[in-house]
Amino acid sequence: MEMDNVFKNFYRSLYLKSGGFISTVPANIQIYPGDFFQIHNGQIVILGNIFKDNLIDVGSYTLDTQQPQNQASWSFSDGVSKPFSKRAQGENPIEGEFEFSKHIFSFNQKGSFIFKGTDPLASKIGNWNGFKDMLIIKLAYEAYSFREVYVATQTVTLENWTLAVAGAEEAELELATEEENFGLVDIFGHASAKTLQSKEIEYYFREDKRKPVFFKAKKMIVNAEKFDSHLASLFAINKEREAWVEKFYDLGYSPILVGGTPNFSNIPATNLLDMLQPGDLDRNTVLEFFSWEDTNLDDIELLNAF
């Protein structure tokens, strides 16, 4: 069942607009290339770093840092309009009259958002294919015994970013600035913007330091061929069980499988590995069982599960 999470619309939009990046908002956990982690109860739990933990030999990898990205991919919104914007005058008892820009942003529904980031710079692992197999051996057999784990391959930092997310229908955010050069241009995300009032806003945050809270990752998964072969084994085991039950328990009747044949296809692939026999998984066979795939929208759904 899909969980009701106010950030899911932002997560999906970010993934699609930015070409596959995921955010750690609202926890704002900093993730660096090489960090490996799992997702538990909707939260990212960082377990280590493949470089820091010496899982990969020095010299077998390259890191490309501070690579400029497309600015247009890091400012977007959904379900937000600006029904009111004007220049107005105010009065300060010390400084006298002053002029300011005033904007009201209207959010259509729960989960509607506006996001603005500036000057995106990426850092990434440059030669992933050169050591991805060795990393499987380390993570699934030699150093650890993971059955599913993520490894961050690329991160993006922004000079600054601002995100507002509605917690309910018809949410509003009223901002103002005294900066004269704005005119009636949007002030959302600017350092001078002050909040006059807000209604039903679940999250409103501005980050003015470069922190890697946006990332791409690879996920270690069970190979499809091995998954299919284990499903076939389960079907065979199930048929044998029916005959065994009738003979072993001497029930006096033929047992009937309640509900028909179980739908083993719903079993997670990682659970099937619990049936491995001693010696099935070793340094030579581990690559037959596991491979890497890019994170996708299914992984983002896991972040919604809280």
Side-chain angles (χ1 to χ4, degrees):
M1 180 183 295
E2 185 179 39
M3 304 299 289
D4 185 18
N5 184 286
V6 295
F7 294 99
K8 67 183 178 183
N9 192 23
F10 168 66
Y11 291 153
R12 291 171 178 169
S13 297
L14 173 67
Y15 181 88
L16 296 172
K17 295 281 188 181
S18 66
F21 279 91
I22 298 174
S23 172
T24 64
V25 169
N28 295 334
I29 298 169
Q30 297 183 53
I31 293 184
Y32 296 87
D35 281 346
F36 56 92
F37 60 90
Q38 292 179 328
I39 300 175
H40 294 289
N41 298 323
Q43 300 288 337
I44 291 173
V45 181
I46 297 176
L47 304 171
N49 184 286
I50 63 173
F51 306 124
K52 179 180 180 297
D53 299 344
N54 298 315
L55 299 183
I56 301 300
D57 293 334
V58 175
S60 65
Y61 59 85
T62 60
L63 290 173
D64 302 323
T65 60
Q66 305 302 300
Q67 302 294 311
Q69 303 295 295
N70 181 10
Q71 173 67 56
S73 300
W74 293 89
S75 291
F76 48 89
S77 64
D78 184 72
V80 179
S81 59
K82 189 182 65 176
F84 182 83
S85 178
K86 73 172 186 177
R87 294 287 290 177
Q89 285 191 332
E91 188 168 340
N92 186 298
I94 299 176
E95 299 176 357
E97 289 189 355
F98 63 94
E99 200 173 53
F100 63 93
S101 293
K102 178 180 177 181
H103 297 232
I104 297 179
F105 296 88
S106 178
F107 297 73
N108 295 342
Q109 58 188 3
K110 181 178 181 178
S112 294
F113 72 90
I114 179 170
F115 174 75
K116 184 177 181 180
T118 61
D119 192 19
L121 296 176
S123 297
K124 64 181 294 187
I125 298 173
N127 62 331
W128 170 262
N129 289 335
F131 60 81
K132 64 179 183 179
D133 288 349
M134 177 54 68
L135 196 53
I136 287 177
I137 294 172
K138 293 288 188 179
L139 290 172
Y141 180 69
E142 288 190 350
Y144 299 93
S145 56
F146 289 118
R147 297 298 176 252
E148 185 175 283
V149 70
Y150 299 83
V151 176
T153 56
Q154 185 173 357
T155 61
V156 157
T157 63
L158 298 165
E159 182 179 1
N160 60 75
W161 59 268
T162 308
L163 173 66
V165 182
E169 229 178 301
E170 298 182 354
E172 285 188 350
L173 180 64
E174 184 176 349
L175 302 177
T177 180
E178 296 176 27
E179 296 283 335
E180 295 182 1
N181 59 339
F182 269 103
L184 293 181
V185 224
D186 286 347
I187 63 173
F188 184 83
H190 194 272
S192 68
K194 295 179 175 60
T195 304
L196 296 184
Q197 62 177 350
S198 65
K199 181 181 76 172
E200 301 292 354
I201 297 297
E202 176 75 16
Y203 183 83
Y204 179 44
F205 183 78
R206 183 180 191 275
E207 176 59 69
D208 59 3
K209 294 181 177 62
R210 287 194 177 275
K211 294 180 180 179
V213 298
F214 308 98
F215 68 92
K216 287 183 179 181
K218 299 284 188 180
K219 178 171 68 172
M220 192 178 74
I221 60 168
V222 178
N223 280 327
E225 290 182 2
K226 288 295 181 182
F227 178 71
D228 291 341
S229 68
H230 274 278
L231 281 183
S233 297
L234 278 182
F235 279 111
I237 290 170
N238 189 67
K239 294 301 293 182
E240 292 174 5
R241 178 178 180 275
E242 293 179 47
W244 175 84
V245 165
E246 183 175 7
K247 182 179 179 181
F248 182 80
Y249 288 105
D250 190 21
L251 298 175
Y253 61 89
S254 296
I256 300 174
L257 189 63
V258 178
T261 304
N263 183 9
F264 292 120
S265 62
N266 290 330
I267 298 176
T270 51
N271 288 9
L272 294 176
L273 294 178
D274 293 338
M275 297 184 62
L276 289 179
Q277 299 298 310
D280 282 352
L281 194 66
D282 58 32
R283 199 177 194 280
N284 296 319
T285 62
V286 67
L287 295 178
E288 298 176 12
F289 283 89
F290 297 99
S291 60
W292 296 103
E293 72 173 13
D294 293 330
T295 45
N296 53 46
L297 292 174
D298 290 338
D299 300 296
I300 290 177
E301 288 299 319
L302 296 177
L303 293 175
N304 291 329
F306 63 93

